[in-house]
């Protein structure tokens, strides 16, 4: 029997979306797409000299599997190319196709529940205060060997939040029917348990 079941997870950087998305994918055997990687891969190609719209229209699997997509300079460039409507339009079909793949899919990003796949059976909006998110991102970057201060990471997080939420094309915002998880005071593990329960209940209804 085929299963078409989609979980859309949106929210700002370092709120815990990725951990929740990976956890759900593992628990339910769904495929997972971190859509931020698409924008990061486009940004990486613009840094190498390819115009953004062309980079998005000709994106290949090998561009998204690069290991240098998580640096602060690529994060900033990704947030900038993500405001370009031509870039966003070029990436819609791939994401929608992924969302409907057989066996279930989890996509995390900024506009999955609002623009890419509003039909998703489960929509989560994962957020946390800018300070908590900056602290998490600073720990990640420091552990990966980057020499950055927590203040500079907070400034970057706030600048990205502003750009991602104020842009005209698919701004970051919760879908009206999304379940919001604020992970400022909630551990990501507890948030994942709640998400597991929501998905399990919704899957039960599909039977
Ligand atoms: O989730 P991330 O930090 O890897 O995303 C990098 C940038 O890509 C982020 O600043 C905004 C953009 N993005 C987006 O506009 N829409 C998405 N669905 C995913 C990411």
């Amino acid at each position: 029997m085929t299963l078409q079941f989609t979980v859309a997870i949106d929210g700002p950087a370092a709120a815990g979306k990725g951990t929740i998305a990976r956890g759900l994918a593992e628990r339910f055997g769904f495929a997972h797409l971190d859509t931020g990687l698409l924008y990061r891969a486009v940004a990486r190609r613009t840094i190498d000299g390819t115009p953004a719209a062309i980079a998005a229209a000709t994106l290949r699997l090998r561009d998204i599997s690069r290991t240098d997509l998580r640096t602060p300079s690529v994060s900033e460039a990704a947030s900038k190319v993500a405001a370009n409507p031509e870039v966003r339009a070029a990436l819609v079909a791939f994401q929608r196709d992924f969302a409907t793949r057989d066996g279930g899919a989890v996509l995390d990003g900024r506009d999955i529940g609002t623009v890419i796949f509003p039909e998703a059976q489960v929509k989560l909006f994962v957020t946390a205060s800018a300070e908590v998110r900056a602290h998490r991102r600073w720990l990640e970057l420091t552990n990966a060997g980057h020499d950055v201060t927590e203040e500079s990471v907070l400034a970057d997080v706030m600048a990205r939040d502003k750009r991602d939420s104020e842009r005209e094309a698919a701004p970051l915002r919760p879908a009206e029917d999304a379940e919001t998880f604020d992970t400022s005071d909630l551990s990501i593990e507890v948030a994942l348990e709640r998400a597991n329960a929501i998905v399990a209940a919704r899957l039960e209804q599909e039977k």
Side-chain angles (χ1 to χ4, degrees), residues 91-175:
L91 301 175
V92 169
F94 176 76
Q95 294 174 85
R96 280 192 63 84
D97 190 42
F98 193 96
T100 53
R101 61 189 281 158
D102 196 15
V106 186
L107 289 86
D108 71 278
R110 304 291 188 288
D111 63 339
I112 309 303
T114 49
V115 174
I116 298 296
F117 207 68
E119 308 92 317
Q121 282 90 338
V122 174
K123 296 183 198 177
L124 308 177
F125 191 80
V126 183
T127 188
S129 72
E131 288 72 19
V132 166
R133 292 185 288 115
H135 183 67
R136 286 182 193 148
R137 189 45 57 91
W138 173 75
L139 281 176
E140 267 170 34
L141 288 168
T142 318
N143 286 336
H146 294 280
D147 183 18
V148 284
T149 64
E150 199 164 332
E151 291 72 31
S152 74
V153 177
L154 178 60
D156 289 351
V157 161
M158 290 173 76
R160 277 218 283 154
D161 283 359
K162 187 168 157 54
R163 210 180 288 121
D164 295 345
S165 356
E166 291 182 0
R167 69 181 178 221
E168 297 236 330
L172 169 66
R173 61 176 175 80

Side-chain angles (χ1 to χ4, degrees), residues 4-5 28 39-40 66 96 104 113-114 131 135 146 157 174 187-188:
Q4 200 267 288
F5 191 93
F28 296 99
Y39 295 92
R40 287 174 180 273
R66 284 177 70 142
R96 280 192 63 84
T114 49
E131 288 72 19
H135 183 67
H146 294 280
V157 161
S187 76
I188 294 178

